[in-house]
Amino acid sequence: MCQKHNEFMMEAIRLSKENIDNGGGPFGAVIVRDGKIIAKGVNKVTVNNDPTAHAEVTAIREASKFLNNFDLSGCEIYTSCEPCPMCLGAIYWAHLDKIYYGNTKADAKNIGFDDAFIYEEILIPLENRKLPISQFMQTEALEAFKKWSDKDDKIEY
């Protein structure tokens, strides 16, 4: 890895440590484009009372704002820890080109951040999951999908 890669990861790690002192969780992330950091994020779950405010998600939000675009193709993310299922999904939706991470999900589990149950739940049929889930009013809901399908000037994502 080149020196720049080390600098980017060190910044994500620095953010993760600093965030602990600011009342957040031990996670940090940076998004890089063309060899420059364009966004930084830290875990703000408890600070903002927002369960989605993980470091990767906050960095994605900042990068999207900075680029004025929801498509972050051409960008890479450096994160202090292997992304959880939610963050991994967000990274895919944002079309980031590559993920670099420091700690593993096993390292996170060792300090009380265990997301294995989510990975396991995804593989279980809907009717057998721990969180009850029920479908109803599909016919009515499909009206929005038809309206979207028929829209000529929609922005695909």
Side-chain angles (χ1 to χ4, degrees):
M1 292 253 157
C2 72
Q3 182 61 30
K4 280 288 201 179
H5 285 292
N6 292 343
E7 290 174 23
F8 300 146
M9 183 58 77
M10 283 306 299
E11 180 62 7
I13 293 168
R14 185 193 69 75
L15 289 167
S16 72
K17 291 192 253 185
E18 179 182 272
N19 198 48
I20 297 167
D21 297 330
N22 294 329
F27 304 97
V30 298
I31 294 180
V32 173
R33 183 178 185 126
D34 298 327
K36 294 182 183 132
I37 294 174
I38 63 163
K40 298 178 181 183
V42 293
N43 181 287
K44 295 182 179 183
V45 171
T46 57
V47 173
N48 291 357
N49 291 316
D50 179 354
T52 69
H54 290 200
E56 297 90 340
V57 172
T58 59
I60 288 168
R61 290 172 181 161
E62 288 300 314
S64 295
K65 189 185 301 182
F66 177 78
L67 295 173
N68 196 31
N69 199 329
F70 56 83
D71 185 340
L72 301 181
S73 296
C75 299
E76 299 175 331
I77 189 165
Y78 292 76
T79 180
S80 64
C81 187
E82 183 177 356
C84 74
M86 176 186 69
C87 293
L88 185 60
I91 289 166
Y92 273 101
W93 281 118
H95 304 288
L96 289 159
D97 291 355
K98 188 158 185 180
I99 303 167
Y100 298 94
Y101 67 93
N103 294 315
T104 66
K105 59 186 171 188
D107 296 327
K109 179 181 179 178
N110 289 338
I111 63 163
F113 294 94
D114 187 7
D115 54 17
F117 75 97
I118 298 172
Y119 286 107
E120 293 164 5
E121 280 284 299
I122 290 170
L123 300 175
I124 297 172
L126 294 177
E127 64 276 4
N128 297 332
R129 292 186 183 172
K130 290 179 183 146
L131 182 63
I133 184 168
S134 300
Q135 179 188 23
F136 70 103
M137 297 186 73
Q138 180 184 19
T139 302
E140 293 81 359
L142 282 171
E143 292 172 13
F145 281 12
K146 180 172 180 356
K147 184 175 180 177
W148 175 259
S149 293
D150 293 344
K151 185 173 172 61
D152 292 328
D153 61 344
K154 63 183 167 245
I155 299 172
E156 302 277 349
Y157 59 97

